[in-house]
Amino acid sequence: MLLSEFRIYFRKILSEFYSNREIDTFFKILIDFYFDWKSTFIGLNPNYVLDSNQLHKLKFALAELELGKPIQYVTNQAFFLNNDFYVNDSVLIPRPETEELVKWVLDDINEYKITSPHLMDIGTGSGCIAISLAKANREIKLTAIDLSKEALIIAKKNAFKHKVKIDFIQEDIQSLSHLNRTFDIIVSNPPYIHPDEKKDILPNVLNHEPHMAFFTPNNDPIYFYRLIINFASKVLKSLGGLYLEINPKFLELLKSNFSSRNFSEVEVRNDIFGKPRMLKVIKK
C-alpha cells in the first residue's frame, strides 16, 4: 500500500471520533515515532510503498486509536517541558498546565537563592515534575512518593533515562504522617477531579487514564489537599514553600483550610488557559 493511500484510510477510520486536524497530527506523530520521518516526508514521497513491517505498525496503532486509546499510550511517549517521558496506562499523561507549576518552583528557587534545596514531589506518577526539576537544577535533592508500585516503576525508568538521581518511595499520603527528613519545598499535583465532573471528561481520558490519580472521594473534594497540608505543616522547614496544582472549582474551600495552619497568605496563579490552577503558601 502507498503511504498516501494509507493516510486516506487512516483518516476515514478515525473521522468518526476526531477532527481532521487531530487525525493528521496523530499520523505525523506515528510516522515520526516509528520511522523517524518528518511531516514533509508525506508530501515529498506520496508514492512511497509501505513494507509489511511498516504497514503492521501503522495498522496496530490505528486499531488502538480507534478504541479511544490516547496517542501517548500508543507510542508510550509524552512530552513535558521539552523532555520526553515514557508513559503507559499506569500513570497520567503529563499536561501543559503542570509545566507552569514546575516553572514557578524553579523561578522561586532562583529568585530567593535557595541553595541545595531538599524537595518532595507527592504523587509523582510518571516522575515528570520531579525529573524536570532535577534536570533544570542539579543542586536540588529530590524525594518523590507515590502509592502505585506500577507508577514508581515508570518514574524510575524515566529518571534513569534522563540521568537524574531521585529517592523514590512507595507511600500512601493517607497514612504518611512523617519522614525522618525535612524539606525546603513540597510540590504536588494530587487527585482533584470530583466524581460529578466525570460527565465533562473526554472518553479517551476517562476510559484509559488511571482513576486513582484523577478522582477525589465523593463527599470530600479537597480530601488529598487536607492530607498534604497536614503533612507539610510537620515536615516543611520554616519559610519552606508548598506548591499545589488545584481544581479552580474548589479554590475558596481549599484556601479556608490554610487559615488554621501555620502558613502565610495563599498566592494563586492562573494556568495557560486563564484558570486559577496553581497555589503557593509559605510556612511561617
Side-chain angles (χ1 to χ4, degrees):
M1 179 180 285
L2 300 181
L3 177 61
S4 57
E5 291 175 335
F6 186 84
R7 184 171 64 169
I8 293 170
Y9 174 69
F10 189 88
R11 287 170 171 169
K12 180 181 178 181
I13 295 298
L14 295 181
S15 62
E16 181 181 348
F17 313 104
Y18 301 101
S19 69
N20 287 337
R21 183 176 180 180
E22 288 175 304
I23 296 169
D24 285 348
T25 297
F26 292 160
F27 196 73
K28 291 173 184 177
I29 289 171
L30 291 173
I31 63 171
D32 183 26
F33 177 76
Y34 287 132
F35 317 127
D36 198 27
W37 295 343
K38 301 309 176 187
S39 57
T40 53
F41 186 91
I42 307 171
L44 295 173
N45 302 276
N47 295 321
Y48 179 89
V49 180
L50 295 164
D51 64 34
S52 59
N53 183 53
Q54 292 166 339
L55 193 57
H56 173 76
K57 288 180 177 179
L58 290 174
K59 283 185 174 180
F60 176 80
L62 175 57
E64 295 281 87
L65 291 169
E66 190 179 5
L67 293 173
K69 195 170 187 177
I71 186 70
Q72 293 90 343
Y73 290 158
V74 175
T75 60
N76 296 122
Q77 185 180 56
F79 289 89
F80 185 82
L81 287 173
N82 297 319
N83 296 311
D84 64 307
F85 289 86
Y86 180 91
V87 294
N88 64 19
D89 57 9
S90 295
V91 297
L92 287 182
I93 297 167
R95 263 66 175 186
E97 302 95 305
T98 309
E99 294 181 348
E100 300 301 312
L101 183 67
V102 173
K103 290 176 183 177
W104 192 1
V105 174
L106 289 170
D107 287 346
D108 280 0
I109 290 173
N110 291 331
E111 181 178 350
Y112 299 110
K113 296 179 172 59
I114 306 172
T115 57
S116 301
H118 193 174
L119 188 149
M120 170 177 267
D121 175 20
I122 297 177
T124 195
S126 66
C128 64
I129 291 177
I131 292 166
S132 297
L133 288 165
K135 285 195 71 174
N137 186 332
R138 296 287 176 171
E139 291 187 0
I140 298 177
K141 182 180 180 182
L142 265 299
T143 299
I145 70 169
D146 204 288
L147 169 63
S148 168
K149 179 180 178 181
E150 293 76 16
L152 288 176
I153 291 172
I154 300 302
K156 290 176 183 178
K157 180 173 183 174
N158 282 321
F160 179 80
K161 175 181 180 178
H162 290 287
K163 298 180 174 60
V164 294
K165 184 178 179 181
I166 296 173
D167 184 14
F168 290 106
I169 303 173
Q170 186 178 0
E171 288 283 358
D172 185 351
I173 188 60
Q174 296 179 88
S175 58
L176 183 64
S177 58
H178 69 281
L179 289 175
N180 293 323
R181 62 192 82 175
T182 55
F183 300 93
D184 298 284
I185 292 171
I186 292 176
V187 60
S188 183
N189 177 18
Y192 61 65
I193 305 297
H194 191 271
D196 286 348
E197 297 178 84
K198 284 184 180 181
K199 64 182 183 300
D200 302 320
I201 299 176
L202 294 172
N204 64 326
V205 173
L206 187 62
N207 296 335
H208 294 274
E209 297 195 54
H211 285 202
M212 67 177 293
F214 264 129
F215 295 109
T216 69
N218 192 60
N219 62 344
D220 192 349
I222 63 166
Y223 173 73
F224 293 105
Y225 292 103
R226 289 192 292 102
L227 295 175
I228 292 168
I229 292 167
N230 182 59
F231 176 70
S233 69
K234 298 175 183 177
V235 301
L236 267 181
K237 298 176 184 178
S238 178
L239 301 182
L242 173 61
Y243 297 76
L244 300 170
E245 184 168 327
I246 64 172
N247 186 334
K249 293 183 178 180
F250 304 110
L251 172 60
E252 295 306 317
L253 179 61
L254 180 57
K255 287 168 68 173
S256 68
N257 274 257
F258 289 102
S259 58
S260 61
R261 298 289 182 175
N262 196 27
F263 289 101
S264 67
E265 184 177 347
V266 175
E267 181 179 353
V268 178
R269 288 189 180 182
N270 292 344
D271 62 18
I272 56 176
F273 305 107
K275 295 183 178 181
R277 184 68 65 185
M278 296 160 282
L279 177 154
K280 179 183 83 169
V281 289
I282 302 296
K283 186 176 178 182
K284 296 178 183 177

